[in-house]
Amino acid sequence: MVNVLLNYYNFHEDWAHDKLAPYIKPDSKVTIVPYAYRDHEVACDADWQCLYGVNGEKYPNCIAPFLAYGIKEEDISWVNYFTDDSDISRKKIESADIVMFTGGLPEKITERLETKGLTDVVKNFNGVLIGVSAGAMFQFATYHITPDDDYDSYGIYHGVGILDGFDLEVHYTHSEIQQQCTQRALKELGVPVYAMYHCGGLLIADNHITVMGDVDIHINKNRN
């Protein structure tokens, strides 16, 4: 598996393009899994269509980077939590070269994968797994969350365990609260924290982390 960790759907831009082009090829088959949505935003298929359907709010941004790499729109499929049963969802993931998890709430991805019985197929996926914000965070065994509009307080969460040995601070702007939470995560998790600015991300291939664009790396210098 190759992992791509991002903040947003801008990974076709110059800061990432050359590093990702070997992995995102024009003939790639893509499956997008929007499992991180908030319950108050999406409660049924009609709500889902308003966000992720062909005429939905988030649809253009989600597919834009793939189109920029030369992938055809008809080669991009979506997993719909409300209309796709577990078997259909599994086949869409297994048949893809690239699977992308969208942003929102990371713990909801973990929960919905478990409900659908899809955790194993994601963990055993052998292609390119792209995660945007929450879609990046849920891939970790353990990760921290910094307070924002969705979370009242700092917290440690458990994901599916694909990645380990480091942590993320997504949507990094060097704010005071982000710096505080990064330092707290350094101490509590005992691993480096990669703080990704808007135009920043990570490529993990062959057990090697490649930094793309603007990323600060925080290391606990006091750790023995």
Side-chain angles (χ1 to χ4, degrees), residues 8-81:
Y8 193 61
Y9 312 102
N10 56 349
F11 53 94
H12 55 302
E13 296 176 357
D14 290 345
W15 60 270
H17 183 274
D18 289 349
K19 292 184 175 68
L20 294 182
Y23 304 99
I24 305 177
K25 301 176 181 178
D27 60 350
S28 297
K29 306 293 184 184
V30 176
T31 294
I32 299 175
V33 188
Y35 269 13
Y37 55 83
R38 299 158 182 84
D39 289 331
H40 69 271
E41 290 181 328
V42 179
C44 61
D45 179 54
D47 294 339
W48 190 96
Q49 296 296 337
C50 287
L51 278 186
Y52 305 111
V54 175
N55 297 312
E57 175 188 340
K58 297 184 182 295
Y59 183 89
N61 285 338
C62 289
I63 71 167
F66 298 113
L67 301 182
Y69 281 95
I71 296 172
K72 298 180 179 62
E73 187 171 355
E74 56 264 33
D75 288 331
I76 303 173
S77 63
W78 295 69
V79 173
N80 184 329
Y81 186 82

Side-chain angles (χ1 to χ4, degrees), residues 2 5 7 23 61 76-77 147 183 192 217:
V2 172
L5 310 180
N7 285 310
Y23 304 99
N61 285 338
I76 303 173
S77 63
Q183 292 304 311
I217 305 173

Side-chain angles (χ1 to χ4, degrees), residues 98-223:
I98 300 168
V99 171
M100 182 175 77
F101 281 83
T102 58
L105 308 179
E107 76 277 9
K108 288 295 183 180
I109 303 177
T110 306
E111 174 188 314
R112 289 168 181 142
L113 287 174
E114 187 68 25
T115 298
K116 288 285 190 177
L118 298 174
T119 304
D120 65 320
V121 73
V122 174
K123 293 181 72 170
N124 295 322
F125 180 62
N126 201 31
V128 179
L129 183 62
I130 298 176
V132 175
S133 190
M137 297 164 72
F138 94 96
Q139 298 181 38
F140 287 81
T142 309
Y143 59 91
H144 84 277
I145 283 183
T146 294
D148 59 13
D149 292 341
D150 291 306
Y151 299 91
D152 293 332
S153 60
Y154 170 94
I156 298 295
Y157 291 74
H158 298 283
V160 298
I162 296 171
L163 298 172
D164 203 358
F166 66 102
D167 185 32
L168 291 182
E169 178 73 43
V170 297
H171 302 294
Y172 192 59
T173 61
H174 208 261
S175 70
E176 182 176 350
I177 186 65
Q178 288 176 325
Q179 293 180 67
Q180 291 173 354
C181 291
T182 295
Q183 292 304 311
R184 184 172 176 180
L186 276 174
K187 295 177 182 178
E188 294 183 359
L189 298 179
V191 295
V193 179
Y194 288 75
M196 305 190 306
Y197 292 88
H198 183 70
C199 292
L202 302 177
L203 166 66
I204 299 96
D206 299 321
N207 295 315
H208 176 73
I209 300 174
T210 299
V211 172
M212 303 182 295
D214 295 331
V215 179
D216 287 349
I217 305 173
H218 298 268
I219 299 174
N220 189 344
K221 297 179 182 179
N222 296 322
R223 188 184 180 200

